[in-house]
Amino acid sequence: RLHLHTYLAHILPMASLTALRRPFHAARCPAMRTQAPRLRCVRAKSYEAIPPETYLVLGLAHCFEKGDDGKLQDIRLIEPMSASSMECLANGARTSFKLAAGVTLGDALRKDRNALPSEMMDGRFCPNWVNRCEAAARTWTRPHAQDNLMDLVPLGRTRGSFNFSLDDKRVLNAQVEIKDEDNVKQDISIDVYGRKEKADKEAAAKEAAAAAAAAAAQAKIDEEDELDKLLLA
């Protein structure tokens, strides 16, 4: 009588045989029994709390909202500004911000209008205020900002000499509709999808169909001419 493993070796591939041997050996030798891997729970690291005295820049932006009648209404929006954004504005980038003020994170989180310049008294605080303030304040604690950008808007001071422009209006409640015309067409010289070959085949097929139709029409005319000649003979 053939051993079970010998019999299976003739009818099953070696990989399957190896897989079948494991339960047999595990049953004979308890030490070889495999255990299910233990799941380890790793607690996600959270950011350390930012001190309330951390420096932060708040900007006053001229925005718009579209009403039910389709007309745009002026909105003065107060937003926290990151260090990189403030650096771009200081270098002359076109912007919708009219004013920037240096404050502390604590005053910003409390929405203390007494700590803000008078130009921001009637401004609206932007959505997601707390998270955006904390995120922007972290950028001001980085070495580049600490060494090079802190004098752009000193704490307790304001700055308004920006390249202000409303050519590209910020509409807060604008809805973007994606259209096929918005797709960027790849230049045909670097075509990797065979579009040119497909277009050539389609054009050739149309030309062949037009030629066949013209030939059929000419054949019908010739046939009618032949019938007319026979009737007149």
Side-chain angles (χ1 to χ4, degrees), residues 15 28 41 52 56-58 62 67 75 88-89 91 93 100 102 108 113 117 148 154 169 173 193 206 214 216 227 233:
R28 294 176 183 175
C41 296
L56 175 64
V57 172
L58 296 181
H62 190 157
I75 300 295
C88 290
L89 267 59
N91 290 331
R113 293 187 180 272
N148 304 285
K169 295 180 174 58
N173 58 346
Y193 300 106
K206 290 181 180 179
L227 291 175

Side-chain angles (χ1 to χ4, degrees), residues 35-40:
Q35 298 180 355
R38 296 181 180 179
L39 299 178
R40 296 181 60 187

Side-chain angles (χ1 to χ4, degrees), residues 10-136:
H10 292 282
I11 61 174
L12 294 177
M14 187 58 65
S16 300
L17 178 59
T18 304
L20 288 173
R21 283 178 177 172
R22 291 174 183 169
F24 290 112
H25 289 294
R28 294 176 183 175
C29 183
M32 296 183 61
R33 295 175 182 175
T34 58
Q35 298 180 355
R38 296 181 180 179
L39 299 178
R40 296 181 60 187
C41 296
V42 180
R43 181 176 297 177
K45 295 182 179 180
S46 59
Y47 287 108
E48 296 180 359
I50 309 176
E53 62 273 11
T54 302
Y55 174 79
L56 175 64
V57 172
L58 296 181
L60 180 65
H62 190 157
C63 304
F64 299 88
E65 278 186 350
K66 183 176 291 186
D68 297 335
D69 55 356
K71 297 182 179 180
L72 295 179
Q73 302 175 357
D74 296 295
I75 300 295
R76 297 161 64 86
L77 191 68
I78 304 175
E79 294 180 300
M81 299 177 62
S82 65
S84 59
S85 298
M86 188 64 222
E87 186 176 17
C88 290
L89 267 59
N91 290 331
R94 191 170 58 179
T95 180
S96 61
F97 283 97
K98 301 185 66 175
L99 186 76
V103 299
T104 63
L105 176 62
D107 291 338
L109 294 180
R110 288 192 299 270
K111 297 183 178 180
D112 186 4
R113 293 187 180 272
N114 293 326
L116 301 179
S118 58
E119 294 86 350
M120 293 186 177
M121 287 300 176
D122 58 346
R124 177 198 300 180
F125 293 101
C126 71
N128 200 17
W129 177 255
V130 175
N131 291 339
R132 291 188 60 179
C133 285
E134 291 179 349

Side-chain angles (χ1 to χ4, degrees), residues 162-194:
F162 301 131
N163 185 13
F164 178 75
S165 175
L166 293 179
D167 292 341
D168 298 324
K169 295 180 174 58
R170 289 182 57 188
V171 182
L172 301 179
N173 58 346
Q175 296 181 354
V176 180
E177 296 181 2
I178 301 177
K179 302 178 181 178
D180 293 338
E181 293 78 8
D182 299 331
N183 294 333
V184 178
K185 294 185 178 180
Q186 187 182 53
D187 189 84
I188 199 67
S189 62
I190 54 174
D191 181 24
V192 295
Y193 300 106

